[in-house]
Amino acid sequence: MLVLAFDTATPAVTAALHDGERVLAESTTIDARRHGELLVPSVREVLREAGVSLREVTAIVAGAGPGPYTGLRVGLMTAQAFASTSGAPAYGVCTLDALAYASGLDEPFIVATDARRKEVFWGRYSDMRTRVAGPSVDRPHDVPGGLPVLGAGARMYAEIMGEARLVQGAPEYPAAGALAALAAEILASGAPADGGVLTAPRPIYLRRPDARVPGPPKKVTI
């Protein structure tokens, strides 16, 4: 098994290769404006470091968000292009699930990432593998309280979400190593490969895009 995973749903451009037992190579760069420039070179570097060609990859996994439209499009279109080139199946995984898995927690908690507009994308988990609510987008004060919180959104709005509840040492951004490990675990379990945590590589949009088709020009009277 060789799982190539990457995520571009947050400011982190992250890629990794997993062989079913461990992460062979991983690359992460934090740059919210250069997803399109950084992703393919990051994948190439990961494959080079592992000594693997794209055609040897057996599964391709992309973070499906939620996240901004442009970043999600870069990752998911790249996954589909690589799948077409290599013949390996492509899957999507909720980006919040990758953060939850990386936390290693076995108790209920909240994952929150920055959704801009003074909002967060969030999900509630019963443990590192099980999402029980979300993904949703809300203002920080509307996110359920009383649970440990992690992720960049939780840190940004710690005064609202509860600074004392921040999980110390937990990742703020998704890491492709955790994304690949989660996917590899599911694939190795024999569970359905397209359902549950693993889905078709489609974006999770929780908002309409900011861009709008221009309306008809206004009539001008003289």
Side-chain angles (χ1 to χ4, degrees):
M1 178 189 297
L2 286 172
V3 178
L4 174 63
F6 42 84
D7 194 298
T8 55
T10 74
V13 180
T14 180
L17 188 71
H18 197 288
D19 68 356
E21 296 183 0
R22 63 187 180 91
V23 174
L24 301 178
E26 184 171 12
S27 171
T28 299
T29 303
I30 309 300
D31 191 329
R33 298 181 179 276
R34 299 177 63 213
H35 295 91
E37 297 174 46
L38 294 172
L39 179 57
V40 171
S42 295
V43 170
R44 286 175 178 162
E45 175 60 24
V46 163
L47 293 174
R48 185 200 64 77
E49 183 179 336
V52 170
S53 72
L54 181 60
R55 290 194 178 277
E56 294 177 87
V57 169
T58 57
I60 297 167
V61 180
Y69 174 78
T70 301
L72 284 181
R73 182 177 59 181
V74 168
L76 290 164
M77 289 183 67
T78 300
Q80 293 174 24
F82 283 171
S84 177
T85 299
S86 68
Y91 305 104
V93 171
C94 176
T95 296
L96 303 179
D97 291 353
L99 274 163
Y101 188 81
S103 75
L105 294 175
D106 59 2
E107 60 183 295
F109 62 96
I110 297 283
V111 173
T113 59
D114 179 24
R116 305 177 184 175
R117 305 181 191 174
K118 298 182 179 180
E119 293 180 327
V120 294
F121 297 122
W122 67 274
R124 181 163 59 89
Y125 293 78
S126 60
D127 57 49
M128 61 185 278
R129 294 178 175 82
T130 312
R131 175 162 34 97
V132 294
S136 302
V137 59
D138 287 294
R139 293 194 177 277
H141 63 263
D142 292 325
V143 176
L147 294 175
V149 292
L150 62 94
R155 186 165 295 280
M156 287 179 65
Y157 299 103
E159 290 185 3
I160 299 171
M161 300 184 70
E163 191 160 356
R165 293 190 287 119
L166 281 173
V167 178
Q168 300 303 314
E172 292 191 27
Y173 299 112
L179 180 63
L182 174 59
E185 180 180 295
I186 295 168
L187 290 169
S189 72
D194 188 358
V197 175
L198 285 180
T199 65
R202 290 191 291 266
I204 300 172
Y205 292 137
L206 300 180
R207 292 195 187 115
R208 292 183 179 277
D210 292 331
R212 296 286 186 272
V213 176
K218 293 182 179 179
K219 294 182 178 180
V220 178
T221 57
I222 301 178

